[in-house]
C-alpha cells in the first residue's frame, strides 16, 4: 500500500509524505502508521502460520515423524504468542490508526509522536522473541500461557528474553491504547456526540480501556517470573512459600479480558460492513454499545473458568460457571442485531460481506462451544483437550482473523484508490472458509474423545480426524498467499474506486476522496452526513 | 487556537491514563497478598495457617473420632527419603496429637529442605491446628544424615460433622539454591 499512494499524492497535494525509507521510520502520520501496523501484522501472520503448519505436519500421522517433541513444544508456544500479540492485536491497532481519525473527523491521532514509538517497538520485540528459537536451549516451550513453575523452573535460558519481549509488546499496546482513548475523547469533530460514533470507534474505545487495565497486569506477572528466576523470590514457588495457582489467577485476570480485546474490534468491523451490504441501518445501535460495555465489564470477573480443574471450592466453581454463562447474553444480543440487520435487507455478497456473514455464523459456533466449556463439571472432561483448541480457534480465526480480512477488503479501495479483484477475493474467501472448517471442525470430535492438546503424538484412534485437520490447515495456510497477491495487486492498480466506494456505505470516511489524501480533516468536517455515520 | 486546546486536553487525559496503568501494575502485585489473605480466611487451596496458639482450651468431643491420613511427596529433583512414621491416626477432636515424619538425605551434598502442607478436603484446612510442625522451619541435612521430624496438632471440634476423614499432605522442596541466592543477595 505504499509506493503508489505516494505517487498519487504529490501531484495534487503539497503536504505529501517524505521520500524513501525515512518516511516510514519517522512518520507520525496515522495512515502511514496504520499501514506499517497492518503489514507488520501480516508478516507475523505468515510467520505464526508457518509454525502452525509445522505442528499440523507433525500431527498429520500418529507417531513422531518430522520434529522432536522439544521443538514441537516451542512451535505451539511461539505460534500462540505470535498470533495473539504479533498478528491479531497489531492488525486491530493498524485498523484503528487508519480508521478512527477518519471516522470521527480528526486530522490525526492525538499523540502522533507516541504513535510512531508504539509501532517501532514491535519489530524489536518480535525479533527478540523469534531469536530465542536460535538460542541455546531453544525458545519458550511452555505454551502461550507460560504457566509457572513450568516456565520459571523448567523453562529454557531464553525465558528471560521472552519476558523482555512481553514487556515491550505490553508497552507498545499500552501507548497505542492511550492514544486511541485520548483521540476519541478529545478530537471528535465538533458536534459529533459519543452516541453518534460508528461502532468500530466505540468498540475500540472500550477495547483500549481493557488494554490499559490488563496489559499492566501481564507486565506484572512476567516481572514476578523474572524475579523468581533471577532474584530468588518465590512468588510461584511453593517451596519458598509461593503458590503456582497464584500464577494462574494473575495470568487469567489478564488472559480472559485479552480474548475480548481480540474480539471487540471485530464486532465493530462487522457492525460496519453488514449494514452497508444489507443497505439498511444497523439494527439496535444503542443496544450494541451497551452489550459491548457489559461484555467488557463481565470479562473481568470470569477469569477462573480457565481454572475449573485446579481444585476450587464448589462455590467458586458455581460462581465462575454462572458468571461466564452470563456473557452469552450480551453476545447473543449482538448476533441477534446482526441477523436483524440483514433481515429483509437488499443484500449483495461482495467479499467483505462474505467474510462478515461467515464471521457471524462461525463465531457463534465458537461461542456455543465456549458455553459447553463454561459448564464446570463438563469442563473437567474437556479441559486441555482439542475441544478447547477447537473452541478458541473458532472464535479467533473465523472470528477475529476473518473480521480483519473483511475490514481489509472493505476499506482497501479507500486506502489505495483502487478496487481489489472481486473474483479473486471471492476465491480467497471460499478457500479460507472451506479450509478453516476442514481444519477446526474435526478437532471438536477428537477433543471430546479425549485427545490432549499440545502433544506431538497421539493415540491411533484419532488418526483420521487429525489427517483431515492437517489437510484443512495446509489449504487455509496457502490460501493466504492468494490474499497477499490480491492486496499487492490492488495497491499497484485496478479499477478506480469512487469516493463512496460501496453503494450502501455511510460515514465520514466515505465522504473524502479515494485514495484517502495524506492529510484529511485538517479542518473539521461538515456533519450533515453524520446522522448516518453508524449506517 | 481550538486545535491546540484539544491537544492539550488530550495530553492531560493521557497523563491520567498513565496513572491508571501504574495503578494496574501495582494491582497485579497486590493480588499476591490479597490471594494469600483470601486463602487464609477461607482455607481455600487447603492451605493451613501458621503455628497455633490457643486462646482458650478447646472443647473435647469424646463422642467423635476422625481419621487423619498423612502423605509425604517429593517435589521434582528433591532426592530425600521422606515418609510419615504412621500412615494414619484416629483422633478425637479437641485433643492434642503427636506424630513424626522421617527424612534422610541420601545425596552426596548437604541440602536444605522445606515442606509445604496441604489439606483435603479444603474446607477442613481451617480446623486443623498445628501447635508444632517441621513445616514451620527449614531442615538442613548433611549427606547421609537422617532425622525424625515432629508434628503436633489438634483437630477443632467445630470440624463440620460430615467430615470423618481428612488428608494432610506434605510436599518437600529442595531450596538449597534459593537460600544461597538469598545469602548472595543480602
Ligand atoms: C460465549 C463466549 C465464550 C465463552 C462462554 C467461553 C468460555 C471458555 C472457557 C470455559 C474456556 C476454558 C476451557 C478450558 O481450558 O477448559 C475458554 C478457553 C478459551 N477461550 Fe473462550 N469463551 C467464549 C468466547 C471466547 C472468545 C470471544 C474468545 C477470543 C476471541 C475466546 C478465546 C478463548 C481462548 C484463547 C481460550 C483458551 C485459552 C488457553 O487455555 O490457551 N473465547 N473459553
Ligand atoms: Cu476466558
Amino acid at each position: 500500500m505504499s509506493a503508489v499512494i505516494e505517487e498519487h499524492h504529490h501531484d495534487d497535494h503539497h503536504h505529501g509524505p517524505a521520500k524513501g525509507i525515512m518516511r516510514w521510520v519517522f512518520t507520525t502520520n496515522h495512515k502511514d502508521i496504520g499501514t506499517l501496523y497492518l503489514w507488520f501484522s501480516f508478516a507475523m501472520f505468515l510467520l505464526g502460520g508457518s509454525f502452525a503448519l509445522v505442528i499440523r505436519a507433525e500431527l498429520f500421522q500418529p507417531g513422531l515423524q518430522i520434529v522432536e517433541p522439544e521443538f514441537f513444544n516451542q512451535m505451539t508456544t511461539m505460534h500462540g504468542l505470535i498470533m495473539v500479540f504479533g498478528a491479531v492485536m497489531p492488525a486491530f491497532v493498524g485498523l484503528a490508526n487508519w480508521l478512527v481519525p477518519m471516522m470521527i473527523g480528526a486530522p490525526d491521532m492525538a499523540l502522533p509522536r507516541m504513535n510512531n514509538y508504539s509501532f517501532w517497538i514491535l519489530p524489536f520485540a518480535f525479533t527478540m522473541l523469534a531469536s530465542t528459537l536460535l538460542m541455546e536451549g531453544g525458545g519458550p516451550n511452555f505454551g502461550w500461557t507460560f504457566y509457572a513453575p513450568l516456565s520459571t523452573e523448567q523453562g529454557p535460558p531464553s525465558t528471560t528474553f521472552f519476558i523482555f519481549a512481553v514487556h515491550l509488546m505490553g508497552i507498545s499496546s499500552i501507548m497505542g491504547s492511550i492514544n486511541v482513548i485520548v483521540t476519541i475523547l478529545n478530537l471528535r469533530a465538533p458536534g459529533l456526540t459519543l452516541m453518534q460514533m460508528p461502532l468500530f470507534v466505540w468498540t475500540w474505545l472500550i477495547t483500549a480501556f481493557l488494554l490499559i487495565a490488563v496489559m499492566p497486569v501481564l507486565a506484572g506477572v512476567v516481572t514476578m517470573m523474572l524475579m523468581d528466576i533471577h532474584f530468588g523470590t518465590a512468588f510461584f514457588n511453593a517451596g519458598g512459600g509461593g503458590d503456582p495457582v497464584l500464577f494462574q489467577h494473575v495470568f487469567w485476570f489478564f488472559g480472559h479480558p485479552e480474548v475480548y480485546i481480540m474480539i471487540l474490534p471485530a464486532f465493530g468491523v462487522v457492525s460496519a460492513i453488514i449494514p452497508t451490504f444489507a443497505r439498511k441501518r444497523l439494527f439496535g445501535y444503542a443496544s450494541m454499545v451497551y452489550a459491548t460495555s457489559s461484555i467488557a465489564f463481565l470479562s473481568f470477573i470470569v477469569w477462573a473458568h480457565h481454572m475449573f480443574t485446579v481444585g476450587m471450592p464448589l462455590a467458586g466453581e458455581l460462581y465462575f460457571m454462572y458468571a461466564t454463562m452470563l456473557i452469552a447474553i450480551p453476545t447473543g444480543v449482538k448476533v441477534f442485531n446482526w441477523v436483524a440487520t440483514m433481515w429483509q435487507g437488499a443484500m449483495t455478497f461482495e467479499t467483505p460481506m462474505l467474510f462478515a456473514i461467515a464471521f457471524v455464523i462461525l463465531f457463534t459456533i465458537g461461542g456455543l462451544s465456549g458455553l459447553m466449556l463454561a459448564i464446570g463439571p463438563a469442563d473437567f472432561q474437556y479441559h486441555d483437550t482439542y475441544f478447547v483448541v477447537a473452541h478458541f480457534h473458532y472464535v479467533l480465526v473465523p472470528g477475529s482473523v476473518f473480521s480483519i480480512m473483511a475490514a481489509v477488503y472493505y476499506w482497501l479501495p479507500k486506502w489505495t484508490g483502487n478496487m481489489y479483484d472481486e473474483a479473486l477475493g471471492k476465491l480467497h474467501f471460499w478457500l479460507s472458509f472451506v479450509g478453516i472448517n476442514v481444519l477446526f471442525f474435526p478437532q471438536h470430535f477428537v477433543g471430546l474423545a479425549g485427545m490432549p492438546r499440545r502433544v506431538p503424538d497421539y493415540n491411533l484412534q484419532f488418526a483420521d480426524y487429525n489427517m483431515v485437520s492437517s489437510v484443512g490447515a495446509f489449504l487455509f495456510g496457502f490460501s493466504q498467499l492468494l490474499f497477499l497477491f490480491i492486496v499487492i495487486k490492488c495497491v499497484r492498480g485496478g479499477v478506480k474506486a469512487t469516493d463512496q466506494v460501496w453503494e450502501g456505505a455511510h460515514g465520514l470516511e466515505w465522504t473524502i476522496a479515494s485514495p484517502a489524501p495524506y492529510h484529511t480533516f485538517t479542518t473539521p468536517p461538515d456533519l450533515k452526513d453524520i446522522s448516518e455515520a453508524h449506517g | 487556537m481550538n486545535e491546540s486546546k484539544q491537544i492539550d486536553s488530550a495530553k492531560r487525559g493521557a497523563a491520567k491514563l498513565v496513572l491508571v496503568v501504574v495503578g494496574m501494575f501495582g494491582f497485579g502485585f497486590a493480588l499476591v497478598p490479597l490471594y494469600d489473605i483470601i486463602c487464609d480466611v477461607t482455607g481455600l487451596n487447603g492451605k493451613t495457617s501458621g503455628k497455633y496458639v490457643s486462646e482458650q482450651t478447646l472443647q473435647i468431643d469424646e463422642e467423635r473420632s476422625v481419621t487423619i491420613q498423612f502423605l509425604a511427596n517429593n517435589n521434582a529433583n528433591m532426592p530425600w527419603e521422606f515418609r510419615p512414621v504412621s500412615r494414619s491416626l484416629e483422633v478425637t477432636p479437641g485433643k492434642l496429637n503427636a506424630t513424626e515424619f522421617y527424612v534422610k538425605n541420601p545425596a552426596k551434598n548437604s541440602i536444605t529442605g522445606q515442606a509445604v502442607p496441604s489439606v483435603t478436603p479444603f474446607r477442613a484446612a481451617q480446623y486443623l491446628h498445628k501447635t508444632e510442625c517441621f513445616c514451620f522451619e527449614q531442615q538442613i541435612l548433611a549427606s547421609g544424615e537422617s532425622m525424625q521430624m515432629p508434628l503436633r496438632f489438634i483437630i477443632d471440634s467445630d470440624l463440620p460433622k460430615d467430615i470423618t476423614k481428612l488428608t494432610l499432605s506434605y510436599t518437600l522442596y529442595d531450596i538449597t539454591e534459593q537460600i544461597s541466592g538469598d545469602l548472595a543477595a543480602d
Side-chain angles (χ1 to χ4, degrees):
Chain A
M1 271 162 262
S2 50
V4 179
I5 299 182
E6 217 170 314
E7 273 160 39
H8 276 300
H9 273 279
H10 52 86
D11 20 46
D12 44 61
H13 251 275
H14 19 273
H15 294 307
K19 292 264 154 53
I21 180 86
M22 283 306 156
R23 161 183 176 189
W24 299 102
V25 177
F26 293 119
T27 183
T28 56
N29 178 286
H30 73 101
K31 299 185 181 83
D32 282 354
I33 294 176
T35 304
L36 285 171
Y37 264 111
L38 287 169
W39 277 117
F40 176 79
S41 146
F42 192 73
M44 289 296 118
F45 182 59
L46 293 185
L47 181 66
S50 60
F51 294 167
L53 292 186
V54 173
I55 296 172
R56 281 320 317 174
E58 177 57 56
L59 294 176
F60 185 68
Q61 285 182 337
L64 294 177
Q65 285 93 18
I66 298 172
V67 293
E68 294 296 315
E70 174 55 29
F71 187 69
F72 183 90
N73 290 344
Q74 296 173 30
M75 287 291 101
T76 53
T77 307
M78 290 295 254
H79 164 69
L81 289 170
I82 287 185
M83 286 306 197
V84 168
F85 295 104
V88 174
M89 289 169 69
F92 281 128
V93 182
L95 291 175
N97 262 291
W98 255 105
L99 298 172
V100 166
M102 296 200 314
M103 286 177 163
I104 63 174
D108 204 310
M109 298 294 275
L111 308 166
R113 176 64 46 201
M114 189 164 87
N115 207 7
N116 173 290
Y117 299 148
S118 15
F119 172 75
W120 279 109
I121 287 175
L122 285 181
F124 292 98
F126 282 90
T127 308
M128 187 179 329
L129 183 64
S131 68
T132 59
L133 285 175
L134 309 173
M135 290 178 191
E136 196 157 327
N141 56 3
F142 28 67
W144 82 277
T145 51
F146 52 98
Y147 278 15
L150 185 61
S151 54
T152 47
E153 280 165 38
Q154 285 149 53
S158 63
T159 306
T160 307
F161 290 95
F162 153 79
I163 291 174
F164 286 135
V166 171
H167 274 140
L168 289 179
M169 297 165 202
I171 292 171
S172 161
S173 7
I174 288 171
M175 296 203 306
S177 358
I178 290 180
N179 221 338
V180 168
I181 296 176
V182 296
T183 305
I184 297 174
L185 294 185
N186 296 291
L187 262 57
R188 291 194 312 281
L192 178 62
T193 65
L194 287 175
M195 286 309 273
Q196 286 172 329
M197 297 192 310
L199 263 176
F200 179 76
V201 181
W202 254 117
T203 52
W204 239 111
L205 179 64
I206 294 166
T207 303
F209 274 109
L210 284 181
L211 275 165
I212 61 167
V214 301
M215 288 313 274
V217 176
L218 174 70
V221 75
V222 292
T223 307
M224 290 179 215
M225 281 175 63
L226 187 74
M227 291 163 76
D228 271 12
I229 294 173
H230 293 291
F231 305 115
T233 57
F235 284 103
F236 308 128
N237 175 353
D243 192 329
V245 177
L246 169 69
F247 175 91
Q248 298 187 27
H249 280 291
V250 186
F251 178 82
W252 287 115
F253 184 84
F254 147 80
H256 185 77
E258 167 68 20
V259 308
Y260 282 96
I261 286 165
M262 293 189 282
I263 202 70
L264 294 185
F267 291 168
V269 167
V270 171
S271 304
I273 292 175
I274 289 181
T276 297
F277 296 98
R279 291 166 182 77
K280 274 176 67 191
R281 293 185 62 135
L282 181 69
F283 185 87
Y285 171 85
S287 71
M288 285 298 213
V289 174
Y290 299 130
T292 313
S293 317
S294 14
I295 292 176
F297 169 76
L298 289 172
S299 75
F300 284 105
I301 55 168
V302 298
W303 74 90
H305 63 218
H306 296 272
M307 305 168 53
F308 280 136
T309 58
V310 295
M312 270 189 285
L314 189 61
E317 302 261 341
L318 285 173
Y319 163 74
F320 283 109
M321 169 170 146
Y322 289 126
T324 302
M325 290 181 168
L326 218 54
I327 298 197
I329 297 171
T331 313
V333 168
K334 295 195 149 270
V335 173
F336 178 85
N337 286 346
W338 291 320
V339 175
T341 308
M342 288 187 268
W343 187 255
Q344 296 194 330
M347 289 212 280
T348 52
F349 300 93
E350 287 83 351
T351 310
M353 183 63 161
L354 289 175
F355 274 103
I357 294 174
F359 171 97
V360 175
I361 298 167
L362 299 180
F363 173 78
T364 305
I365 294 179
L368 288 175
S369 59
L371 273 175
M372 287 172 70
L373 292 167
I375 304 170
D379 186 65
F380 277 69
Q381 166 73 13
Y382 306 151
H383 182 60
D384 269 349
T385 68
Y386 257 85
F387 192 77
V388 177
V389 176
H391 156 64
F392 67 74
H393 281 95
Y394 259 89
V395 282
L396 281 170
V397 185
S400 310
V401 174
F402 270 24
S403 84
I404 293 164
M405 289 172 180
V408 170
Y409 282 113
Y410 185 57
W411 280 291
L412 202 55
K414 176 57 63 187
W415 299 338
T416 63
N418 307 318
M419 297 306 285
Y420 60 87
D421 186 327
E422 189 63 55
L424 286 182
K426 287 203 166 100
L427 179 65
H428 171 228
F429 167 76
W430 284 110
L431 290 175
S432 301
F433 181 82
V434 171
I436 210 75
N437 284 296
V438 173
L439 164 55
F440 292 119
F441 211 77
Q443 295 185 356
H444 289 111
F445 305 134
V446 286
L448 290 177
M451 177 171 160
R453 62 191 283 205
R454 295 172 174 158
V455 288
D457 186 10
Y458 50 84
N459 197 305
L460 280 178
Q461 82 196 80
F462 305 126
D464 294 349
Y465 282 134
N466 270 289
M467 196 174 275
V468 173
S469 193
S470 291
V471 170
F474 280 88
L475 176 62
F476 178 74
F478 284 103
S479 313
Q480 303 323 310
L481 297 177
L482 178 61
F483 182 42
L484 177 65
F485 174 78
I486 296 170
V487 171
I488 291 176
K489 185 169 171 227
C490 175
V491 170
R492 306 192 59 176
V495 182
K496 293 286 156 252
T498 61
D499 289 356
Q500 200 192 2
V501 182
W502 309 107
E503 183 192 52
H506 297 287
L508 282 176
E509 79 269 33
W510 307 111
T511 62
I512 56 183
S514 297
Y518 198 59
H519 295 287
T520 38
F521 299 127
T522 36
T523 49
D526 180 0
L527 291 183
K528 68 177 183 321
D529 198 37
I530 218 53
S531 60
E532 291 184 289
H534 47 78
Chain B
M1 220 193 91
N2 190 21
E3 196 180 316
S4 71
K5 241 199 246 155
Q6 281 178 329
I7 296 294
D8 281 350
S9 74
K11 285 192 174 147
R12 271 197 306 280
K16 281 186 206 139
L17 292 173
V18 170
L19 288 183
V20 176
V21 170
V22 174
M24 287 309 292
F25 187 71
F27 175 76
F29 282 85
L31 283 174
V32 180
L34 253 162
Y35 175 79
D36 283 341
I37 293 168
I38 292 173
C39 289
D40 239 23
V41 172
T42 58
L44 283 187
N45 255 345
K47 280 194 174 172
T48 54
S49 23
K51 194 177 173 93
Y52 179 72
V53 214
S54 64
E55 295 96 53
Q56 73 252 38
T57 36
L58 284 169
Q59 218 184 325
I60 300 180
D61 188 351
E62 296 285 0
E63 310 286 84
R64 249 179 113 185
S65 133
V66 177
T67 311
I68 175 159
Q69 301 174 308
F70 302 103
L71 284 180
N73 302 303
N74 281 7
N75 185 237
N77 307 328
M78 178 49 144
W80 287 5
E81 281 169 39
F82 178 39
R83 61 172 182 267
V85 169
S86 57
R87 297 215 165 270
S88 79
L89 290 178
E90 295 281 320
V91 304
T92 308
K95 278 196 182 159
L96 183 66
N97 311 283
T99 184
E100 285 180 330
F101 280 65
Y102 170 82
V103 273
K104 175 174 182 183
N105 178 7
K108 291 207 176 60
N109 49 325
S110 140
I111 290 177
T112 311
Q114 164 78 59
V116 176
S118 162
V119 174
T120 36
F122 294 155
R123 62 204 166 93
Q126 49 187 315
Y127 302 100
L128 179 76
H129 306 308
K130 288 177 288 190
T131 57
E132 190 182 344
C133 178
F134 53 93
C135 59
F136 295 154
E137 53 229 31
Q138 297 153 358
Q139 284 77 35
I140 306 176
L141 290 190
S143 169
E145 199 182 342
S146 69
M147 79 173 159
Q148 307 270 7
M149 306 187 295
L151 166 68
R152 286 160 167 274
F153 63 94
I154 308 169
I155 304 268
D156 204 303
S157 48
D158 288 341
L159 180 75
K161 290 280 179 283
D162 60 308
I163 302 180
T164 55
K165 191 187 260 184
L166 47 106
T167 308
L168 173 57
S169 145
Y170 287 97
T171 308
L172 195 61
Y173 289 81
D174 174 357
I175 58 165
T176 319
E177 261 175 48
Q178 266 163 275
I179 298 287
S180 58
D182 276 359
L183 289 182
D186 281 349

